[in-house]
Amino acid sequence: MAKQVQNFNAEIKQLLDIVIHSLYSHKEIFLRELVSNASDAIDKLKFQSLTHPTLLPADWAPAIRLETNPEQRLLKIIDNGIGMSQEEVTEFIGTIARSGTKAFAQLSQEMKSKPELIGQFGVGFYSAFMVADKVTLHTQKAGTSEGTVWESTGDGTYSIDSVPRPDGTGTTLTLHLKEFKTDDEVQDFTDAWNLKSLIKKYSDFIAYPIKMKNDKGEEETLNSQKALWLKSPSEITKEEYKEFYQHLTHDWNEPLKTVHYKAEGTMEFNALLYLPNKKPFNYNTRDTEFGLSLYIKRVFIMADCKELLPPYLRFVKGLVDSADLSLNVSRELLQQDRQVTQIRKNVVNKVLASLKDMLTKDRNQYESFWNEFGSTLKEGMPGDPANKEKIQDLLLFHTTSSDKMTTLDEYVSRMKADQKHIYYITGDSLSQVSNSPYLERLKEKGLEVLLLVDPVDEWVVGSLENYKEKTLQSIMKEGLELDTEDEKKQKEEERKHQTENLKPVLETLKKTLDSNVKDVVISDRLTSTPVCLVSSAHDPSAHMQRLMEQMGGQYKNPVKRIMEINPNHPVFEKMMKASPEQQSQWAEILYAQALLTEGSNLPDPVKFSQQIAALMVQAAESTKH
Ligand code: ADP
């Protein structure tokens, strides 16, 4: 095929523009990204050769080489990994934008000052353009004999050509380094000493030798290649843990917590796990890969092994190196492998225990974790019944009793002696629920209420049911009993009386709102608000119904709620004296108010506002006389 010139797609152009014009001073990180790609390529070839041994060239010894030419300002990064076919080059480094390209370009302002985040977006290759004004890639895919040369100056086009690669399988990346100006370019990337210290700093633990010729023409290995996870924790510095984390995740932040251990006994493996400080950019999007890297006896098998981690712990990064699994594993086999299940179980226990430990020993750190990943962890309540008891102790909730979040255990320890329930309210936002009229009576009685505003909370309370023999009780559902037996008896009389008194109003409300509510009853749930809606004990809450609708499900027959009225509110006494038309109009307004109070939308907001305007006019007229 003849040499072709092609255009980058719009998003890659944008991305290159950011990278090329970045004023970021730590441009050195390009080396970490490119060495990491080379190491991944060797990993892949090694793994594929387990089942296709003929892919390995004769006398293959995996290695990454650095070559420099200071006069021509060239830096080459050479690997004998899997290589790429021509289609793969176009796909990975050319025209087809992967999700990360778009995300990176969208964050252009942020990325101009923090291009080091580039690796997180899966587009680390382009970091080469931070230091080079021309990049040449020469690659040959394992098992093929056709080489490909790709070249670009980053100006919007690239060329691609078929040229055999003299070294056979593998990839050579040649960076034509930008003019070295001492004022803005801090480092010379053809300088051997400089390269050596950068490799030590970022890539020391890369499992393959990174080699470079010294002044005498002898080949030197720059990295120690120690598998960090096989060393004992006491021999590892914080810095080393951090660098390894950055290598694994391309996350430039420090990890929040590191968990490194060796499991012994029925199965043997080493695990090095990290909790990140912050969510990665693509967290929660559906195509996000998660899982741990799997090694078997130090051989890299795969990244993102989902079988090692349940989805509700998808924020955990790290690796497992097993001594027992067979090297001939495949994804399909992993799913049924009993030992893999055992490893996952062990990892889950360890992570949950570490979180418990953090919660008890460093509450600030735990809350910082919770703010990022609490919602994800909560999915384990309905998702992992076997560990429900452990997860429930890790939950934090907003509460009416303090600005600080609380655990269930802390809530229970503050409960009044005769309190039987853990009270909670669900809704869309803290400001909405913390001012909710449903709280009126409980506040009056000094009862603490958990404020649940995370969509997943509806499922969490659904699977929790009770905690330390205290049942959970929604304060938006019927049957909220806050009184002692004596108080109840006393109130029963009063209620009978009030029901008798307000009978005509209750009947008008029932008649007018027949198609909207199940029933209209007097209650003492409220103190200063006239009406509210409550769900029957076993019906979904209004909040739950809204969530289901947002998720695309439609309730065929929306579950009707019960309207509760506050008999002490003056509006009902006035209503008794109003004309029948006024009464039914008021009934509609009260129903609309009740919907707003529970956080629901009004079916006809225009009508509601007209009704309110009409009331205002009426009120003005009546004060005139
Ligand atoms: P990432 O490595 O995060 O996927 P990059 O932009 O760095 O993103 O690389 C894109 C893809 O190009 C890689 O996923 C890999 O398939 C391919 N690639 C990059 N460098 C090499 C290499 N040295 N050898 C083989 N393939 C490579």
Side-chain angles (χ1 to χ4, degrees):
M1 198 174 74
K3 183 164 166 173
Q4 291 187 352
V5 175
Q6 310 215 359
N7 287 317
F8 284 119
N9 87 358
E11 279 146 8
I12 298 181
K13 271 188 203 155
Q14 223 176 325
L15 182 152
L16 280 170
D17 189 58
I18 299 167
V19 171
I20 292 169
H21 297 112
S22 152
L23 296 174
Y24 182 67
S25 54
H26 294 294
K27 296 188 172 163
E28 60 190 41
I29 58 103
F30 80 93
L31 190 63
R32 178 189 65 169
E33 298 295 335
L34 301 178
V35 165
S36 165
N37 279 355
S39 154
D40 289 349
I42 299 176
D43 276 343
K44 284 180 200 157
L45 179 56
K46 228 175 152 180
F47 177 58
Q48 290 200 7
S49 71
L50 293 175
T51 41
H52 302 89
T54 52
L55 285 180
L56 287 190
D59 302 330
W60 185 72
I64 299 163
R65 289 194 165 74
L66 302 183
E67 280 179 25
T68 61
N69 184 331
E71 288 76 47
Q72 296 177 18
R73 301 208 37 76
L74 297 182
L75 168 64
K76 292 188 183 187
I77 298 143
I78 306 162
D79 69 67
N80 54 1
I82 187 111
M84 281 176 272
S85 66
Q86 191 141 332
E87 291 79 61
E88 284 170 334
V89 174
T90 343
E91 186 179 337
F92 297 145
I93 334 215
T95 30
I96 301 168
R98 284 163 293 148
S99 64
T101 325
K102 195 167 180 173
F104 187 88
Q106 276 167 351
L107 293 171
S108 62
Q109 276 320 316
E110 208 180 328
M111 290 308 127
K112 269 192 185 134
S113 55
K114 290 189 198 149
E116 81 269 22
L117 298 179
I118 192 165
Q120 267 192 74
F121 293 80
V123 290
F125 173 80
Y126 298 105
S127 67
F129 288 95
M130 289 206 290
V131 296
D133 46 25
K134 187 162 91 177
V135 175
T136 313
L137 174 98
H138 198 172
T139 185
Q140 180 172 318
K141 174 122 179 158
T144 71
S145 54
E146 194 182 287
T148 302
V149 171
W150 176 101
E151 192 166 80
S152 175
T153 54
D155 62 351
T157 63
Y158 64 88
S159 68
I160 195 155
D161 199 0
S162 306
V163 184
R165 185 172 180 266
D167 302 333
T169 295
T171 302
T172 304
L173 195 62
T174 308
L175 307 187
H176 307 255
L177 296 168
K178 289 184 189 173
E179 262 325 295
F180 177 65
K181 287 188 241 116
T182 27
D183 50 342
D184 67 5
E185 190 98 25
V186 216
Q187 304 181 44
D188 180 1
F189 298 113
T190 60
D191 180 81
W193 187 86
N194 202 1
L195 290 171
K196 226 163 146 172
S197 56
L198 289 177
I199 293 294
K200 262 263 159 284
K201 181 167 171 193
Y202 295 115
S203 314
D204 194 48
F205 39 77
I206 292 283
Y208 311 106
I210 304 171
K211 299 183 175 185
M212 190 167 62
K213 286 211 173 99
N214 63 17
D215 323 341
K216 296 180 204 117
E218 301 154 343
E219 206 148 56
E220 237 185 295
T221 297
L222 310 182
N223 58 329
S224 68
Q225 306 166 59
K226 272 178 284 186
L228 192 71
W229 60 92
L230 297 181
K231 297 211 276 182
S232 123
S234 62
E235 292 168 30
I236 305 173
T237 65
K238 210 176 155 211
E239 198 57 25
E240 285 176 310
Y241 275 132
K242 182 178 116 187
E243 275 152 23
F244 190 72
Y245 168 74
Q246 292 174 339
H247 163 71
L248 269 182
T249 60
H250 298 262
D251 175 4
W252 199 245
N253 296 301
E254 294 211 9
L256 182 73
K257 195 176 173 73
T258 304
V259 181
H260 181 194
Y261 72 105
K262 186 180 169 93
E264 274 161 319
T266 46
M267 83 218 126
E268 223 177 88
F269 67 89
N270 288 277
L272 177 49
L273 312 172
Y274 293 98
L275 300 180
N277 241 309
K278 291 258 169 280
K279 288 187 192 111
F281 83 98
N282 58 351
Y283 195 73
N284 283 341
T285 63
R286 275 186 194 190
D287 54 357
T288 313
E289 296 284 351
F290 73 91
L292 303 174
S293 295
L294 175 64
Y295 286 74
I296 297 175
K297 302 184 192 80
R298 285 194 65 179
V299 177
F300 172 83
I301 303 296
M302 66 181 78
D304 303 321
C305 178
K306 286 192 170 74
E307 286 72 21
L308 293 174
L309 214 57
Y312 73 94
L313 296 181
R314 61 183 174 275
F315 47 83
V316 178
K317 301 286 170 192
L319 64 84
V320 160
D321 188 348
S322 155
D324 307 322
L325 288 170
S326 143
L327 276 169
N328 291 318
V329 286
S330 66
R331 279 221 178 239
E332 295 68 49
L333 283 178
L334 276 181
Q335 278 166 12
Q336 312 147 11
D337 194 302
R338 263 197 46 237
Q339 298 196 39
V340 173
T341 317
Q342 287 298 323
I343 296 177
R344 181 180 58 219
K345 238 180 164 171
N346 185 297
V347 166
V348 169
N349 282 340
K350 190 73 184 185
V351 171
L352 295 179
S354 304
L355 288 173
K356 184 72 197 273
D357 190 60
M358 197 198 292
L359 173 65
T360 3
K361 294 192 182 134
D362 190 345
R363 182 66 171 246
N364 283 341
Q365 190 183 40
Y366 187 79
E367 288 190 10
S368 148
F369 156 79
W370 184 262
N371 288 335
E372 291 295 308
F373 303 113
S375 290
T376 313
L377 180 65
K378 279 191 251 182
E379 292 169 20
M381 283 299 296
D384 185 2
N387 283 305
K388 197 175 111 173
E389 309 251 306
K390 287 183 192 150
I391 303 167
Q392 67 193 20
D393 279 321
L394 295 172
L395 303 175
L396 291 184
F397 296 105
H398 291 285
T399 170
T400 50
S401 79
S402 154
D403 288 340
K404 276 189 76 67
M405 297 188 92
T406 183
T407 63
L408 289 169
D409 190 46
E410 289 159 353
Y411 179 104
V412 170
S413 72
R414 285 190 294 265
M415 276 171 74
K416 296 185 178 252
D418 52 354
Q419 188 179 335
K420 293 190 194 66
H421 304 291
I422 297 173
Y423 297 107
Y424 70 89
I425 180 169
T426 56
D428 302 327
S429 71
L430 264 190
S431 60
Q432 182 217 335
V433 294
S434 52
N435 294 319
S436 168
Y438 294 89
L439 293 172
E440 288 171 2
R441 271 298 304 291
L442 290 104
K443 274 189 193 155
E444 206 178 69
K445 292 223 152 211
L447 291 165
E448 179 176 354
V449 180
L450 299 177
L451 308 171
L452 310 189
V453 292
D454 186 345
V456 70
D457 286 339
E458 287 280 0
W459 285 270
V460 172
V461 286
S463 59
L464 190 56
E465 285 173 7
N466 58 63
Y467 179 83
K468 295 204 168 158
E469 286 149 36
K470 310 287 180 193
T471 46
L472 272 87
Q473 162 84 53
S474 164
I475 64 164
M476 298 173 85
K477 292 200 169 180
E478 69 173 344
L480 181 66
E481 304 251 353
L482 301 175
D483 294 326
T484 60
E485 289 305 312
D486 284 351
E487 286 172 321
K488 251 195 265 178
K489 250 182 226 147
Q490 201 188 341
K491 281 192 180 162
E492 215 156 289
E493 274 306 301
E494 202 183 320
R495 184 174 307 190
K496 247 189 221 160
H497 183 70
Q498 286 168 332
T499 309
E500 199 52 44
N501 244 351
L502 292 176
K503 207 169 170 188
V505 172
L506 286 169
E507 265 163 20
T508 315
L509 285 170
K510 266 187 223 174
K511 216 166 72 204
T512 321
L513 303 174
D514 180 49
S515 59
N516 299 308
V517 300
K518 256 186 198 168
D519 200 0
V520 182
V521 297
I522 281 179
S523 98
D524 59 3
R525 193 184 299 257
L526 303 165
T527 57
S528 58
T529 307
V531 285
C532 69
L533 296 171
V534 300
S535 310
S536 300
H538 297 290
D539 283 345
S541 69
H543 179 237
M544 181 72 146
Q545 283 187 48
R546 289 198 298 275
L547 287 174
M548 298 300 277
E549 277 166 19
Q550 281 162 18
M551 293 185 336
Q554 197 74 34
Y555 269 81
K556 277 200 199 78
N557 305 308
V559 186
K560 286 189 195 172
R561 288 183 290 288
I562 301 159
M563 183 185 238
E564 290 192 357
I565 72 169
N566 169 5
N568 301 319
H569 198 284
V571 76
F572 298 107
E573 209 176 296
K574 302 269 185 226
M575 201 167 162
M576 298 277 284
K577 294 174 196 140
S579 69
E581 299 85 64
Q582 270 177 330
Q583 282 195 358
S584 56
Q585 201 187 35
W586 285 24
E588 286 181 15
I589 294 174
L590 286 167
Y591 176 64
Q593 288 180 328
L595 283 174
L596 289 175
T597 303
E598 66 167 12
S600 294
N601 287 330
L602 298 183
D604 190 348
V606 175
K607 183 173 177 191
F608 177 66
S609 97
Q610 283 165 350
Q611 285 173 327
I612 294 288
L615 271 192
M616 288 157 84
V617 173
Q618 276 170 25
E621 308 246 297
S622 63
T623 43
K624 236 189 318 188
H625 302 307

